[in-house]
Amino acid sequence: MNHRRIIEGALAAVLLAGGFGRALAAEAEPVGSETCLGCHAERDVKKKLHTKAMSTAKGVPFDKACETCHGPGSLHAAAAGDKSSPGFATIKNPKDQSAAEQSETCLTCHKQKNLTLWGTSSHKQGGLSCAKCHTMHGDQKKNLAKDGVETCLTCHKKQRGELQLASHHPLIEGRMTCAGCHNPHGGVSGNLRGETVEDTCFKCHADKAGPFMHEHPPVVEECTTCHKPHGSANATLLKQGEPMLCLRCHKWPHTESTNNVSAMKTKTFEQRSRCTDCHNQIHGSDRKAGLKD
Ligand code: HEC
Ligand code: HEC
Ligand code: HEC
Ligand code: HEC
Ligand code: HEC
Ligand code: HEC
Ligand code: HEC
Ligand code: HEC
Ligand code: HEC
Ligand code: HEC
């Protein structure tokens, strides 16, 4: 290809992307999904999740489905697959649209509660479109691009590493998803489900919520003072092992209280260094002071 043809080609592309293409697109008419499938048999979304949802919940019949998202396709269809024909590119390809344009199509229908914070979410700010996580042409649950956790781990490498550590929330095991704690469409605090870290944890660990007769102040304050959310090399997702975790705020040995302690338990501490062998109600207790049973 000589230089002249490259320049002409580039010029045509600019014209297409600009006013010329748009003027043509405005003239295009709907042709119906069956026509599309004449050439895009591999896109037969007839039975697939999203098209089905559109027709059952919004009354968008299958024949209108493709063009609801891709725009009217008569000129594209008439181009008969010839990419150099000006009509070809009048079909909307979400991959060529800006993230905001792509999401706009989706948001015309999707106004549910879960999505109300999308506008301020870190994912929107980070330049993501809906289609980074969802695919309209797949069969995954919730139209996700990949299995729930894999969708997220493609970008979040740090979390992938954390989930390999000895103690971790059972995400890779498939017993919960990132969405158990995060709303990927935005949240009040970061991307969390709850208004605070605590609220988020209490959705599944309600037994730690109290109120207790004998509270442990750091627990009331923030679970992440002692725990990591994703994974840790220490047992039970702890930030630090015992007794160092406790010695950040407390002194050892005890003062006068040690005479309440049986010799056997004291010996156990010398071997295991676990304060929680005695203080086993570390999140709060209704029964006795000292966070013990
Ligand atoms: C006459 C055959 C034909 C018909 C009818 C047809 N297409 Fe296409 N379309 C093609 C071909 C060929 C391509 C290029 C495919 C490729 O590069 O893999 C294409 C590409 C596309 C693309 C990607 C465009 C791009 O910029 O790369 C979209 C989106 C698309 N078609 C949607 C539709 C929809 C929606 C309809 C119905 C309104 C439709 N097509 C009807 C042949 C057709
Ligand atoms: C709810 C919106 C929606 C509907 C309905 C829909 N699509 Fe798509 N389509 C998309 C999005 C978004 C993409 C971008 C990638 C993805 O999600 O798979 C896409 C991608 C495509 C592509 C591939 C473009 C490329 O460059 O790879 C083709 C071809 C296509 N759609 C054709 C169709 C046909 C044919 C129908 C009807 C049977 C249809 N689509 C229905 C949203 C939709
Ligand atoms: C960062 C990834 C990501 C992005 C970006 C994203 N989603 Fe989601 N979406 C998810 C996940 C994960 C779920 C499943 C949530 C669950 O299991 O509770 C979901 C669920 C949904 C649902 C199902 C109903 C619900 O609320 O659970 C709808 C509808 C939806 N998303 C629409 C959208 C739209 C529209 C956009 C763009 C404005 C978008 N999503 C952007 C990851 C994403
Ligand atoms: C014409 C209206 C319409 C458009 C446009 C549309 N959707 Fe939907 N979508 C629906 C309906 C209706 C449902 C089923 C009911 C519901 O969950 O709201 C649905 C369901 C979903 C679900 C949930 C599936 C499940 O298993 O719970 C996701 C995710 C989703 N849409 C994402 C998108 C994305 C991303 C786009 C843009 C590429 C989009 N939708 C465009 C109407 C639409
Ligand atoms: C396409 C890449 C991509 C995918 C896929 C993705 N994210 Fe993100 N995520 C980002 C970007 C970019 C940011 C913006 C902040 C940053 O630079 O880390 C972000 C930020 C976040 C934050 C931080 C919020 C804050 O305010 O500090 C959380 C939490 C998060 N993502 C969770 C998820 C979850 C859960 C999923 C899967 C449902 C997911 N992400 C999928 C790219 C992605
Ligand atoms: C058990 C609840 C929980 C689960 C499950 C969870 N997270 Fe988080 N995540 C949190 C908490 C809590 C924070 C920290 C928020 C803070 O300190 O303000 C966080 C922070 C983040 C951040 C931002 C800070 C950072 O470390 O970069 C990203 C990104 C993130 N999570 C991604 C993910 C991904 C991806 C998954 C799924 C593989 C996931 N999370 C699963 C609770 C969870
Ligand atoms: C969506 C539900 C869910 C949420 C929300 C949740 N967890 Fe969990 N958590 C689990 C499950 C499931 C396990 C595994 C329990 C098991 O193996 O029996 C677990 C285990 C734990 C463990 C013990 C880990 C071990 O190795 O023994 C700790 C500590 C923990 N979670 C802390 C938290 C904290 C802190 C939060 C808030 C940031 C939180 N969890 C939010 C479901 C959740
Ligand atoms: C002062 C530090 C500290 C704080 C703050 C803390 N934890 Fe813990 N947590 C621990 C220790 C230590 C263990 C291990 C106890 C053991 O091995 O007997 C533990 C264990 C757990 C476990 C697993 C064992 C069980 O009892 O179910 C869960 C779940 C848990 N914590 C959730 C939470 C939640 C939710 C919060 C916030 C409300 C929180 N923790 C705040 C220190 C703390
Ligand atoms: C972030 C600081 C912090 C950490 C970490 C912490 N604590 Fe505490 N703890 C406190 C505060 C503050 C009190 C309230 C009484 C006080 O001022 O000593 C308290 C009270 C207690 C009490 C009750 C004392 C009484 O008089 O009833 C016990 C027992 C205790 N902590 C044990 C532990 C153990 C065991 C660990 C480690 C698993 C631990 N704490 C980690 C701050 C902390
Ligand atoms: C062998 C059992 C045992 C072990 C191990 C143990 N404690 Fe205690 N601790 C007690 C008893 C008993 C009391 C008196 C509580 C009461 O009044 O009921 C106490 C009291 C406390 C108090 C209240 C103030 C004080 O000094 O009297 C704190 C704080 C405390 N322990 C922290 C810790 C920390 C931190 C560790 C680990 C480094 C630890 N304990 C290990 C049995 C133990």
Side-chain angles (χ1 to χ4, degrees):
M1 200 190 268
N2 66 32
H3 283 273
R4 199 188 163 87
R5 278 184 57 197
I6 291 172
I7 291 166
E8 274 170 7
L11 197 63
V14 169
L15 281 172
L16 269 178
F20 186 44
R22 227 169 278 144
L24 269 178
E27 289 164 19
E29 302 281 341
V31 294
S33 300
E34 293 299 347
T35 307
C36 311
L37 292 180
C39 299
H40 292 290
E42 85 285 1
R43 296 279 157 183
D44 189 352
V45 292
K46 208 184 278 193
K47 295 186 196 64
K48 292 190 179 163
L49 291 170
H50 197 271
T51 318
K52 218 165 153 190
M54 276 164 78
S55 52
T56 49
K58 285 270 169 175
V60 178
F62 174 69
D63 205 45
K64 293 218 168 88
C66 308
E67 291 164 295
T68 301
C69 294
H70 290 289
S74 62
L75 298 175
H76 169 73
D82 175 6
K83 290 186 184 173
S84 66
S85 159
F88 179 87
T90 59
I91 200 79
K92 271 197 228 164
N93 186 349
K95 285 180 189 159
D96 297 339
Q97 291 179 304
S98 73
E101 281 173 321
Q102 273 185 51
S103 302
E104 207 182 290
T105 312
C106 315
L107 291 170
T108 53
C109 291
H110 288 293
K111 302 185 190 306
Q112 52 257 75
K113 203 164 136 248
N114 259 352
L115 282 159
T116 48
L117 293 168
W118 172 253
T120 53
S121 71
S122 49
H123 280 139
K124 187 185 175 216
Q125 311 302 329
L128 268 69
S129 67
C130 315
K132 283 284 185 214
C133 297
H134 295 289
T135 170
M136 297 299 101
H137 296 292
D139 258 339
Q140 295 274 12
K141 241 171 81 183
K142 303 269 180 195
N143 284 95
L144 288 174
K146 297 181 185 163
D147 157 71
V149 181
E150 276 305 311
T151 303
C152 313
L153 294 181
T154 312
C155 295
H156 294 294
K157 308 267 191 252
K158 186 179 139 208
Q159 276 68 32
R160 188 186 287 284
E162 287 173 334
L163 294 179
Q164 308 294 333
L165 296 171
S167 168
H168 55 264
H169 266 112
L171 288 138
I172 288 173
E173 292 79 359
R175 288 176 55 207
M176 61 194 289
T177 67
C178 310
C181 293
H182 295 289
N183 180 351
H185 312 116
V188 179
S189 149
N191 269 11
L192 290 178
R193 279 257 171 239
E195 287 191 11
T196 61
V197 171
E198 308 281 85
D199 285 347
T200 305
C201 309
F202 293 157
K203 287 187 194 309
C204 299
H205 300 294
D207 60 315
K208 306 287 184 285
F212 299 104
M213 194 93 77
H214 308 287
E215 306 270 12
H216 194 193
V219 178
V220 179
E221 216 168 278
E222 178 112 1
C223 309
T224 44
T225 305
C226 297
H227 292 291
K228 292 194 158 203
H230 308 110
S232 169
N234 303 307
T236 43
L237 289 166
L238 290 172
K239 279 189 160 166
Q240 257 178 309
E242 290 187 52
M244 293 319 288
L245 174 73
C246 315
L247 296 178
R248 266 158 57 195
C249 303
H250 297 291
K251 285 203 191 77
W252 179 262
H254 289 121
T255 46
E256 62 288 353
S257 56
T258 16
N259 44 10
N260 289 336
V261 180
S262 76
M264 199 174 70
K265 282 204 162 162
T266 310
K267 189 148 181 278
T268 311
F269 182 72
E270 278 155 17
Q271 288 159 357
R272 287 164 48 102
S273 304
R274 276 176 44 112
C275 312
T276 49
D277 279 347
C278 295
H279 300 290
N280 55 4
Q281 300 297 303
I282 198 67
H283 303 98
S285 165
D286 279 335
R287 293 178 53 217
K288 286 189 194 153
L291 308 174
K292 302 190 282 36
D293 245 345

